[in-house]
Amino acid sequence: MQVSGQKIVVLGTGGTIAGKAATAGDNIGYAAAQVGVEQLLHAVPGLKAAAGGDLLAEQIAQLDSKDMEFSVWSALAKRCASALADPGVRGLVITHGTDTLEETAWFLRSVLDARKPVVLTCAMRPATALTPDGPQNLLDAVAVATTVGAQGVVVVAAGVVHGAQRVQKVHPYRVDAFNSGDAGPLGWVEEGAVRLAQNWPSALSGQAQPAIEKIVNCARWPRVEIVMSYAGATGALVNSLVRDGVQGIVVAATGNGAIHHALESALLRAQAAGVKVVRSTRCPQGQVLPKPGDALPDSRGLSPVKARISLMLELLP
Ligand code: SIN
């Protein structure tokens, strides 16, 4: 069921959903982030009616999400927090590139007290394509944002609703490019109606306001890098990062958090020198299962890129 009467705020950040190619048949040689969010909304028949009230478009950024910056995250979090606090706003939709969408989703999940829906959506085909997927994704995102009881930071793409914690981009070309792994999707959007498979994500009470203040006031984000364990890995990268003043390192370990002995020695030295080290797995599904006596803490189920965001937030001054 959907409800009407309050505003849906759509925040544009760029991505392929706003991309343009020279020809309609070109799905890879396009420039992302060319079309304004207002224009994107106008191009979707029935979107205003689906919103059931006002649709307010705001351009927060216009970038290819591979180039996502902390300054954009900060502006986005600040605007989301003010919109969530506005009683006239029913929910938020954010248009975003697919490449780092899971990172922005996890960042927002970590800093917003989202008792209303914050729905990120995207496209794998540019707006100029023969069959662009952006318009349907926008309609589906608005359907989620207007669903009674919807809350939390979620991702909607190709008719599937994903939670921010588990969602990952798993394909570089397919329109159905996202997956929630073992957890499965939160639900689906079918003909404008949401069919839930799991509960909506719970809101973050109490921690949100201080987190937003820290982010907005932070002059320089903590430096946290990701290194990977693989055959023949060495500690050279870690040693050089430590010399360069890194504050945190996430290791994308093999299997259940196993690390090549040479890399592990360097990480243990880094940890002893005061660098925060977190162990995630490079496996696309499952999570590191901690064992008694583990010398390096695990990422509590977060993928390497999401563990990096959590560590940066933890290290914010
Ligand atoms: C981007 O991430 O901004 C470009 C790629 C995409 O949206 O699919």
Side-chain angles (χ1 to χ4, degrees):
M1 188 173 83
Q2 288 171 256
V3 289
S4 58
Q6 287 172 302
K7 229 170 8 201
I8 299 291
V9 178
V10 186
L11 304 176
T13 71
T16 295
I17 191 168
K20 273 183 166 178
T23 60
D26 186 355
N27 290 315
I28 55 171
Y30 59 87
Q34 303 297 307
V35 185
V37 64
E38 183 104 47
Q39 206 181 328
L40 288 180
L41 301 190
H42 280 305
V44 187
L47 192 66
K48 203 164 162 45
D54 286 345
L55 261 183
L56 179 73
E58 287 176 35
Q59 197 79 49
I60 297 288
Q62 186 65 300
L63 46 73
D64 186 319
S65 79
K66 73 181 172 56
D67 297 325
M68 184 50 72
E69 296 291 350
F70 300 141
S71 57
V72 176
W73 274 1
S74 173
L76 191 57
K78 197 170 158 198
R79 183 61 188 108
C80 286
S82 72
L84 287 169
D86 178 347
V89 171
R90 166 147 203 85
L92 296 168
V93 170
I94 300 170
T95 58
H96 199 288
T98 59
D99 283 347
T100 59
L101 182 118
E102 70 210 55
E103 295 180 51
T104 300
W106 180 245
F107 165 69
L108 293 176
R109 164 74 184 85
S110 304
V111 301
L112 295 176
D113 189 11
R115 289 155 200 263
K116 298 174 185 176
V118 177
V119 188
L120 289 101
T121 195
C122 56
M124 289 295 287
R125 301 286 177 264
T128 48
L130 277 176
T131 54
D133 49 330
Q136 184 66 54
N137 284 346
L138 264 171
L139 257 178
D140 289 349
V142 165
V144 172
T146 53
T147 294
V148 174
Q151 67 164 35
V153 179
V154 300
V155 170
V156 172
V160 186
V161 188
H162 300 273
Q165 182 166 357
R166 298 293 179 177
V167 68
Q168 278 191 305
K169 183 173 179 180
V170 295
H171 202 283
Y173 183 73
R174 220 168 51 200
V175 171
D176 186 7
F178 289 89
N179 199 282
S180 290
D182 293 347
L186 286 185
W188 301 269
V189 188
E190 296 159 339
E191 300 295 304
V194 177
R195 178 162 61 94
L196 275 184
Q198 304 182 40
N199 294 331
W200 294 107
S202 53
L204 266 195
S205 42
Q207 309 149 38
Q209 193 52 33
I212 297 281
E213 275 161 24
K214 270 190 183 182
I215 288 158
V216 170
N217 296 326
C218 160
R220 221 172 115 247
W221 282 58
R223 179 154 174 227
V224 178
E225 303 287 354
I226 301 174
V227 298
M228 190 183 270
S229 187
Y230 40 76
T234 71
L237 264 179
V238 168
N239 295 340
S240 135
L241 286 171
V242 173
R243 277 195 301 275
D244 207 34
V246 78
Q247 290 161 272
I249 299 177
V250 174
V251 54
T254 49
N256 189 34
I259 305 170
H260 187 287
H261 67 89
L263 177 59
E264 187 171 32
S265 302
L267 288 167
L268 289 170
R269 282 196 303 276
Q271 182 174 254
V275 176
K276 283 265 187 186
V277 180
V278 170
R279 214 161 34 100
S280 183
T281 177
R282 63 182 219 186
C283 291
Q285 301 207 7
Q287 64 183 72
V288 175
L289 303 174
K291 303 183 296 301
D294 278 342
L296 296 172
D298 69 277
S299 67
R300 299 201 213 133
L302 294 178
S303 67
V305 291
K306 291 181 189 174
R308 173 176 178 263
I309 292 164
S310 291
L311 190 49
M312 279 192 298
L313 293 172
E314 186 188 319
L315 291 169
L316 273 177

